[in-house]
Amino acid sequence: DTTPDRPAPREPVNVQIDFDGLHQRIITVAGITQRDYSALRAGVAGKVFFMEPIPSTGTSGGGGGSALHRYELSTRRAATFVQNVADYALSFDGKKLLYRSPGQQGGLSIVDADKDAPTATKGRLAVTLRAHVDPRAEFRQMFDEGWRIQRDYLYVRNLHGVDWPKMKQMYGELLPHVAHRSDLNYLLDNMGAELAVGHSYVRGGDMPEVPETTTGLLGADFTVENGRYRISRIYDAESWNPELRAPLAAPGVDVRVGDYLLAVNGVELRASDNIHRALDGTANRQTVITVGARPAMEGARRVTVIPVANEQGLRTRAWVERNRRLVDSLSQGQLAYVYIPNTGQGGYASFNRYYFAQQHKNGAIIDERFNGGGSAADYIIEILGRDFDGYFNNPVGERTLFTSPSAGIWGPKVMIINEMAGSGGDLMPYMFRYRKIGPLVGTRTWGGLVGTWDTPAFIDGGSMIAPRGGFIDREGRFAVENVGVAPDIEVENWPKETIAGRDPQLERAVAEAMRMLKETPVDRLRAEPAEPTWGRRVPPAP
């Protein structure tokens, strides 16, 4: 029936896709610079939207949201539609666009997607979204959902032989006693532990907001002497790590090892006081400290510093550089030291930085202890296993032979592992051994190699991860998970030796590499062969 209020139904659209030769009809889109784009979505006919991340410009290290661009097929040009967007969605007809601004103060806005770019405040929704929640009913729903996620998403159908319905019944008996969202995480974590698989994380959820304050740190070690805090070491970031900031080693900061820290922001500090309480709330803020060569305020000086929120980067870098210098000393300059903290972007950057900068060395110690994982480090393994094919000479200046390929370390390589390396840090030593690159020294790795991805979130944003992809070796067996990678040479770093400043694993790795280097020296030409005489005519034989 047709009425003024109800338009006539549209005729069904008959869509036909010619799949034959579809890959040959791909064309390059003009008018777009190659960058990191995401969230590609189609608007009305001839208009396409996509997002581009905005680099952070602040000192906090947080992201700057994304720019939402709109591409016009008619003009073949892209222009920024909305700045500072966390996410967006288009209506079914493509004419309306809903976007969310990032941050706690971010709001929702609805604008016309088929018209000119909106102003910053246009379309802002002046609403507060509220929902009445029955926590116990929500806990029950999330408990059931977590149980189903493991049943449906785990990488093997037999759930490691666990009677999963029985686990739901057994742990479900405790559900009526869950009184807080953190209690639910604890209960789910215990139920998930029955599956005995790594990467089975339970986290997040709708927790109460707690005001936070960040304690500032000075990037230093202290001892207690004469009733005061005395600086025994200052971490200086080696002066060539732009991502690190050392508060007491910044230019113009007059603080030295041996100085006493006497006061913070005018409040005197003694050994009976908690130094972290004195620095509470000073992270990333100008802070005035009083220091002096004597444990008294007389003759002391006031210095303005900016404490950091976390010292881990400074301390890790100091540990890495100490190891590098020790390897150089123990090997008389013959071995490189390369630390790989993870198998993500940071790990690749660390590998490239330390490996290729030391390619004049005859061998290498690859340290992957405490490796946090990430992805499969096949790039690193391929570089470590690289061999060279020959040389090119250089007739200008000092006559030197360059290998082809030119980048690489061609002598023995030893990898150090320990129980705190896992995930990608499990796979990397597995590949190192499988490719016969060199021996493994240390202790068995964690043993968590079932990968995680695509696990649905709970209704309140929390999650119960179901590991999705198990690693299978060339013989057709599931490998590494719950087993780890064992060393070829087992060496334990006992607390007594570590406290004394020694690193037996590193020392043993150097000794092994030096033995290999002695038995099989680097086979590399140092001088050019006889020069060819291709231009000389050879008289014919009589």
Side-chain angles (χ1 to χ4, degrees), residues 49-119:
F49 293 85
F50 55 90
M51 292 173 65
E52 177 188 358
I54 301 173
S56 171
T57 57
T59 58
S60 63
S66 296
L68 178 62
H69 301 299
R70 183 175 67 183
Y71 182 80
E72 306 273 354
L73 290 176
S74 58
T75 62
R76 296 195 175 185
R77 291 183 179 179
T80 300
F81 189 69
V82 179
Q83 287 279 13
N84 202 29
V85 174
D87 198 3
Y88 78 101
L90 286 159
S91 61
F92 181 76
D93 60 6
K95 294 183 178 180
K96 294 291 183 179
L97 186 145
L98 171 69
Y99 71 89
R100 176 172 61 85
S101 301
Q104 294 183 348
Q105 304 301 321
L108 298 173
S109 301
I110 295 180
V111 296
D112 293 322
D114 57 344
K115 297 181 180 178
D116 293 338
T119 61

Side-chain angles (χ1 to χ4, degrees), residues 28-51:
T28 301
V29 177
I32 298 180
T33 305
Q34 292 186 7
R35 289 179 184 165
D36 183 13
Y37 299 123
S38 63
L40 177 69
R41 291 165 193 158
V44 295
K47 301 183 188 297
V48 178
F49 293 85
F50 55 90
M51 292 173 65

Side-chain angles (χ1 to χ4, degrees), residues 105-254:
Q105 304 301 321
L108 298 173
S109 301
I110 295 180
V111 296
D112 293 322
D114 57 344
K115 297 181 180 178
D116 293 338
T119 61
T121 58
K122 186 176 182 180
R124 181 67 59 88
L125 299 180
V127 297
T128 300
L129 301 179
R130 300 178 60 199
H132 292 281
V133 176
D134 180 351
R136 293 194 179 278
E138 193 172 71
F139 292 162
R140 165 62 68 180
Q141 189 276 336
M142 288 188 287
F143 179 86
D144 293 343
E145 183 77 3
W147 181 88
R148 286 193 298 268
I149 286 172
Q150 304 302 312
R151 180 196 66 186
D152 298 340
Y153 286 85
L154 198 70
Y155 77 109
V156 286
R157 296 181 183 275
N158 73 341
L159 286 87
H160 285 180
V162 175
D163 186 344
W164 200 231
K166 182 179 179 180
M167 294 302 104
K168 181 180 182 182
Q169 178 184 0
M170 182 172 72
Y171 287 94
E173 296 291 336
L174 299 173
L175 194 58
H177 304 285
V178 171
H180 191 274
R181 182 62 177 81
S182 60
D183 293 344
L184 179 65
N185 277 354
Y186 181 76
L187 182 60
L188 290 171
D189 227 353
N190 277 272
M191 181 172 68
E194 299 285 350
L195 296 171
V197 63
H199 291 92
S200 181
Y201 307 125
V202 177
R203 55 197 176 195
D206 187 8
M207 302 286 188
E209 292 187 8
V210 179
E212 294 184 357
T213 180
T214 305
T215 299
L217 299 169
L218 296 175
D221 290 339
F222 296 90
T223 58
V224 174
E225 299 180 28
N226 302 312
R228 299 281 191 175
Y229 286 95
R230 193 175 192 183
I231 300 172
S232 60
R233 179 175 181 178
I234 294 175
Y235 294 89
D236 60 3
E238 300 287 330
S239 301
W240 58 299
N241 296 280
E243 78 280 6
L244 299 177
R245 181 167 57 81
L248 301 186
V253 175
D254 184 17

Side-chain angles (χ1 to χ4, degrees), residues 373-397:
S375 59
D378 45 7
Y379 159 75
I380 293 176
I381 294 298
E382 288 169 2
I383 294 296
L384 291 175
R386 172 186 285 180
D387 199 356
F388 67 94
D389 306 300
Y391 311 85
F392 283 97
N393 72 330
N394 177 26
V396 179

Side-chain angles (χ1 to χ4, degrees), residues 420-436:
M420 299 300 291
S423 190
D426 280 305
L427 184 59
M428 186 160 57
Y430 178 92
M431 294 189 291
F432 190 85
R433 169 184 287 153
Y434 186 80
R435 306 282 184 94
K436 296 181 173 58

